[in-house]
Amino acid sequence: MESRRARRWLDRHGAADRPTTPLLRARLEARHRSETLSWVLAGVVMAVAVALAVVDELSPAPRSERAWLFQVGLFYVAIALGAVGGLVIQGRDERRIGAALTRRVAHAQAVRVGTVVGRWFLVTTAVTVGGGLLAGLLVAAGAADPRDRELGFTMLAAVGAFALIGLVGLVHVVRRPAVADDEQSLGDDLLLRREDALRAVAPYPAMLAAIAAVQSQSLAVLLGFLAYAVAAVVVAFLASWAVERAPAARPVSLSREAGA
Amino acid sequence: MLVTISADSPVPPYEQVRAQLAQQILDQTLVVGTRLPTVRRLATDLGLATNTVARAYRELEEAGLIETRGRAGTFVSAAGQRGRERAREAAARYAQVVRSLGIGPAEALRIVQAALEATNGREPA
């Protein structure tokens, strides 16, 4: 199972000619465990959300739209925290894997943060966080209806919270030690870091914006929030697709042949 | 441009780091002005104690191969390249001397070899 996961990962990264290694298999297994944990937590949170929604529906005095949006926001924060928590647990597993290596390899020169996380992370963050803050600010400051302005403030607070959570995840991904025993596995380490960085900046604010759009009082606010939500989800999808298919290091002999 | 640490090697880890960085600086794989990883970063990546990498950096700095510029970080120093240039100049002067004395290339190399061995012999263990 582990071997198949590593095989798929290498194939996706255009390195079908590379054999899987115990190190890559162990690292992907650690990622799989942490992702499973994050998804289970997300499932529990969603189940609680649905249960509360049903209770609310049956209640004689339903809550305000703002309170409902705040609650949904809290659920997303819980899911985001679960995703970052998964990254931390994965980091702990990877340190254990690294400690077992008899040979360790690192870059001899400083690597920029932008190189570590990759340009897709930067684009996704700019659209998700930057776009979310801008959308929230515009609605909070410019909407005619007071309820829309409240939605704008809620969006601002939510995007700020997600940005902070994402920052924690990013710091963890950047600062964690490289787990590599040769040049190829050091290249893999960079690719895995980029994939993990994207996990830290998942487009939760976009989902919140979609819900806020439905509750808005004017067409302009609705379209604004929806445009942001669609842009953030599309960019996140493209980023995920591109990063998961970025070329991995090729076998040394083949690289030399290709370069010759 | 990698640094490799082998736990099986009889060479102490700090010397493995020092020797590899020195080699890459001298053969200009790491060119003048290249920023090296921080001590903490390299130690973490290689699974070493911070003091181990700090010792390697200290010795490279004493040899003039790297320099620390405050909080900006540690960089490959131009002094190391200047040292090589001085060695080349000294070798050119030596070549002129042995030619003027009528000493052949083979004997001139043997003299240099003996001088290097004598210098190495004087180094502390």
Side-chain angles (χ1 to χ4, degrees), chain A:
Chain A
M1 187 61 163
E2 289 179 31
S3 184
R4 263 190 293 171
R5 194 169 289 124
R7 184 72 271 149
R8 278 201 306 270
W9 189 87
L10 284 171
D11 290 351
R12 212 168 49 231
H13 286 285
D17 44 9
R18 251 181 69 187
T20 63
T21 61
L23 176 58
L24 182 62
R25 292 199 291 269
R27 294 195 70 181
L28 291 176
E29 180 61 20
R31 286 161 57 83
H32 177 68
R33 273 199 301 271
S34 84
E35 280 173 350
T36 304
L37 194 69
S38 298
W39 280 113
V40 167
L41 179 68
V44 170
V45 170
M46 294 306 284
V48 171
V50 169
L52 284 177
V54 170
V55 169
D56 193 44
E57 193 67 28
L58 297 175
S59 167
R63 278 165 300 165
S64 70
E65 289 166 349
R66 187 184 173 194
W68 187 75
L69 188 65
F70 182 72
Q71 179 187 299
V72 174
L74 275 184
F75 287 138
Y76 278 125
V77 167
I79 293 171
L81 281 175
V84 171
L87 282 175
V88 173
I89 290 170
Q90 176 190 320
R92 192 193 59 198
D93 286 351
E94 291 193 325
R95 274 196 296 279
R96 185 176 44 76
I97 293 166
L101 294 174
T102 55
R103 178 185 148 99
R104 297 285 291 266
V105 170
H107 291 285
Q109 64 181 43
V111 183
R112 291 169 189 270
V113 173
T115 308
V116 174
V117 297
R119 63 174 179 273
W120 277 109
F121 172 85
L122 301 175
V123 171
T124 309
T125 304
V127 173
T128 305
V129 177
L133 289 175
L134 186 67
L137 192 65
L138 286 176
V139 172
D145 192 291
R147 282 173 295 181
D148 279 347
R149 287 203 292 275
E150 279 187 5
L151 278 179
F153 280 119
T154 308
M155 266 301 293
L156 264 180
V159 175
F162 286 120
L164 280 178
I165 294 168
L167 186 66
V168 171
L170 174 67
V171 167
H172 174 76
V173 168
V174 169
R175 292 178 73 172
R176 76 183 185 204
V179 181
D181 58 1
D182 59 15
E183 192 170 358
Q184 281 183 353
S185 55
L186 195 59
D188 294 344
D189 184 78
L190 195 61
L191 291 177
L192 289 169
R193 237 181 255 266
R194 286 177 183 168
E195 291 179 6
D196 291 342
L198 271 184
R199 276 168 66 190
V201 68
Y204 299 117
M207 300 173 199
L208 212 54
I211 297 168
V214 175
Q215 297 185 351
S216 63
Q217 307 299 315
S218 74
L219 185 65
V221 172
L222 183 143
L223 291 178
F225 275 147
L226 276 185
Y228 158 69
V230 169
V233 168
V234 167
V235 167
F237 175 77
L238 287 175
S240 176
W241 191 90
V243 167
E244 287 185 359
R245 281 155 186 81
R250 307 282 306 282
V252 176
S253 58
L254 292 173
S255 300
R256 283 185 184 152
E257 283 167 19

Side-chain angles (χ1 to χ4, degrees), chain A residues 101-112 173-183 186 193, chain B residues 1-8 21 24 29-30 34-38 40-42 44-47 57:
Chain A
L101 294 174
T102 55
R103 178 185 148 99
R104 297 285 291 266
V105 170
H107 291 285
Q109 64 181 43
V111 183
R112 291 169 189 270
V173 168
V174 169
R175 292 178 73 172
R176 76 183 185 204
V179 181
D181 58 1
D182 59 15
E183 192 170 358
L186 195 59
R193 237 181 255 266
Chain B
M1 286 169 280
L2 307 172
V3 181
T4 305
I5 286 292
S6 175
D8 300 333
L21 289 176
Q24 291 180 34
T29 308
L30 288 171
T34 302
R35 191 158 70 93
L36 299 184
T38 62
R40 187 187 293 269
R41 173 86 247 181
L42 192 57
T44 310
D45 283 353
L46 294 173
Y57 273 33

Side-chain angles (χ1 to χ4, degrees), chain B residues 57-77:
Chain B
Y57 273 33
R58 201 165 50 243
E59 295 199 2
L60 289 167
E61 196 159 11
E62 284 168 6
L65 294 175
I66 63 173
E67 60 186 350
T68 303
R69 299 179 196 161
R71 299 185 70 181
T74 306
F75 295 82
V76 174
S77 165

Side-chain angles (χ1 to χ4, degrees), chain B residues 52-125:
Chain B
T52 304
V53 177
R55 182 177 175 185
Y57 273 33
R58 201 165 50 243
E59 295 199 2
L60 289 167
E61 196 159 11
E62 284 168 6
L65 294 175
I66 63 173
E67 60 186 350
T68 303
R69 299 179 196 161
R71 299 185 70 181
T74 306
F75 295 82
V76 174
S77 165
Q81 298 303 324
R82 282 200 296 273
R84 291 202 124 196
E85 193 54 40
R86 280 174 55 200
R88 281 193 207 97
E89 287 167 7
R93 284 198 301 275
Y94 174 70
Q96 283 179 348
V97 169
V98 293
R99 181 178 291 175
S100 67
L101 293 172
I103 296 172
E107 189 181 353
L109 286 175
R110 279 200 300 277
I111 292 170
V112 171
Q113 186 71 36
L116 286 173
E117 284 168 6
T119 308
N120 288 339
R122 282 201 298 274
E123 279 182 357

